[in-house]
Amino acid sequence: MNDSVMTIRQMCETYDVTARTLRFYESKELLFPIREGQKRLFTKRDRARLKLILRGKRFGFSLEEIRQLLDLYDADDQQEVQLSRSYAMARERLADMERQRDELDETIADLKEQLNWGAQRLAALRQQQTND
Amino acid sequence: MNDSVMTIRQMCETYDVTARTLRFYESKELLFPIREGQKRLFTKRDRARLKLILRGKRFGFSLEEIRQLLDLYDADDQQEVQLSRSYAMARERLADMERQRDELDETIADLKEQLNWGAQRLAALRQQQTND
DNA sequence: CGTTATGTTTACGTGCGCGTCAACTTTAGC
DNA sequence: GCTAAAGTTGACGCGCACGTAAACATAACG
């Protein structure tokens, strides 16, 4: 009945991942569910981390990169050396993302152009068929 | 001495990929180098396609998705049915990319916030050390 | 003419991110 | 008290995107 923790099934349904995935992430030290006997209980912290993991994946970051990034979000319980390392890491990732966004904008523009081209080609092909 | 084609080595250096990668892409029908005897010669078309492949990869598209997208860029020599299929595919990919960009913008904003937080934590830690 | 560079095919190996059993324990409901 | 549901730990498997090594062909250079 503890609202602040979730079972593995609840996690699966809430975030649309498999139990295997959650255990896998734990084995990779991305999540740290507490144990009630054998069973895993996922805390609010785990949920926040999972959201960031799923986000990071969508942008092509590896789980290892994500793991390092996550450290910044747990800045509270860290020493200065570690924190400043995480900080530097995160700044680099940020730069990556900004570059990625710029390139994405370009690619979107290109693809739109190409779509217009395709639309014209299609129209031409259909016109031609009418004349056959 | 034909400027319009490149050997596999030239391709590797120009686009920073391995020969294995180029052969692999050919096997997956993403590239179609012509043959001079045994040797592959990569045309301008191959180069244009390779650029798009590398782009697509950066945005998390699979090689198979990229292959289908590429068909739109070769719209010239296609039948209507095929072309309209490519066109629909490309529209979907475009929607994907636009969603991805929006999410990326959000993520960038979040990460910036988190970086400010980290900077403050770092400053606090350093201040504390001074007082030790 | 031999060597070095560049190319080829074939085929097995690898790292990542999980999927998929198998075998077992624990908890919940009737 | 028994069954079904939900959980656990191995451990092997798989698809993708190549890496890597072997064995060989071809061409260029000195």
Side-chain angles (χ1 to χ4, degrees):
Chain A
M1 283 297 180
N2 192 341
D3 263 13
S4 70
V5 294
M6 287 173 68
T7 70
I8 203 164
R9 283 295 148 196
Q10 291 175 313
M11 290 291 284
C12 293
E13 284 161 25
T14 305
Y15 299 102
D16 194 31
V17 293
T18 69
R20 178 68 176 93
T21 298
L22 293 171
R23 296 195 193 100
F24 182 71
Y25 289 168
E26 185 189 5
S27 78
K28 294 288 174 178
E29 304 194 275
L30 290 160
L31 299 177
F32 308 94
I34 55 179
R35 295 302 178 103
E36 189 177 67
Q38 279 261 88
K39 303 194 172 174
R40 292 167 175 83
L41 292 178
F42 295 84
T43 67
K44 190 177 165 188
R45 179 181 172 228
D46 289 314
R47 268 128 54 198
R49 291 175 74 94
L50 181 55
K51 282 183 201 169
L52 290 171
I53 294 167
L54 298 177
R55 257 199 185 178
K57 284 193 47 178
R58 271 177 243 131
F59 301 127
F61 293 122
S62 73
L63 292 184
E64 177 55 26
E65 286 173 318
I66 293 169
R67 195 185 61 74
Q68 296 185 42
L69 255 181
L70 281 171
D71 290 345
L72 188 67
Y73 285 76
D74 283 313
D76 297 35
D77 34 276
Q78 284 192 46
Q79 303 306 313
E80 195 209 315
V81 181
Q82 254 298 48
L83 180 54
S84 70
R85 229 176 253 148
S86 304
Y87 185 78
M89 258 281 313
R91 288 200 65 91
E92 281 177 36
R93 298 289 110 210
L94 175 60
D96 286 352
M97 286 195 221
E98 287 179 330
R99 271 193 296 274
Q100 190 174 340
R101 184 187 49 192
D102 293 346
E103 209 187 342
L104 189 52
D105 280 338
E106 267 185 64
T107 305
I108 285 174
D110 285 4
L111 187 51
K112 275 184 178 170
E113 226 181 285
Q114 202 58 31
L115 276 167
N116 287 336
W117 224 89
Q120 286 182 24
R121 290 275 318 158
L122 265 174
L125 277 172
R126 283 172 180 154
Q127 182 58 35
Q128 191 187 318
Q129 281 198 338
T130 314
N131 297 343
D132 281 352
Chain B
M1 283 295 182
N2 193 340
D3 263 13
S4 69
V5 294
M6 287 174 68
T7 71
I8 203 164
R9 282 296 148 195
Q10 290 174 314
M11 290 291 285
C12 293
E13 283 160 25
T14 306
Y15 299 102
D16 194 32
V17 293
T18 69
R20 177 69 175 93
T21 299
L22 294 172
R23 295 193 194 103
F24 181 71
Y25 289 169
E26 186 189 5
S27 79
K28 295 288 175 180
E29 304 194 273
L30 290 160
L31 299 177
F32 307 94
I34 54 180
R35 295 301 179 104
E36 189 178 66
Q38 279 259 90
K39 302 191 173 176
R40 292 166 174 83
L41 292 177
F42 295 85
T43 66
K44 192 178 163 190
R45 179 180 172 228
D46 289 314
R47 267 126 56 196
R49 292 174 72 93
L50 181 55
K51 282 183 202 168
L52 290 172
I53 294 168
L54 298 177
R55 258 199 186 177
K57 284 193 48 179
R58 272 176 242 129
F59 302 128
F61 293 122
S62 74
L63 292 184
E64 178 54 27
E65 286 173 318
I66 293 169
R67 197 185 59 75
Q68 295 186 42
L69 255 182
L70 281 171
D71 290 346
L72 188 68
Y73 285 77
D74 282 314
D76 296 36
D77 35 274
Q78 284 193 45
Q79 303 306 313
E80 196 209 314
V81 181
Q82 255 298 44
L83 180 54
S84 70
R85 229 177 253 147
S86 304
Y87 184 77
M89 255 283 311
R91 287 201 66 91
E92 281 177 36
R93 297 291 109 210
L94 175 60
D96 285 352
M97 286 195 224
E98 287 179 331
R99 271 193 295 275
Q100 191 174 339
R101 185 189 47 192
D102 293 346
E103 210 186 340
L104 188 52
D105 281 338
E106 268 185 64
T107 306
I108 285 173
D110 284 5
L111 187 52
K112 276 184 178 169
E113 226 181 286
Q114 202 59 31
L115 276 167
N116 287 336
W117 223 89
Q120 286 183 25
R121 291 274 319 159
L122 264 174
L125 276 172
R126 282 171 181 156
Q127 183 58 35
Q128 191 186 317
Q129 281 197 340
T130 314
N131 296 343
D132 280 352

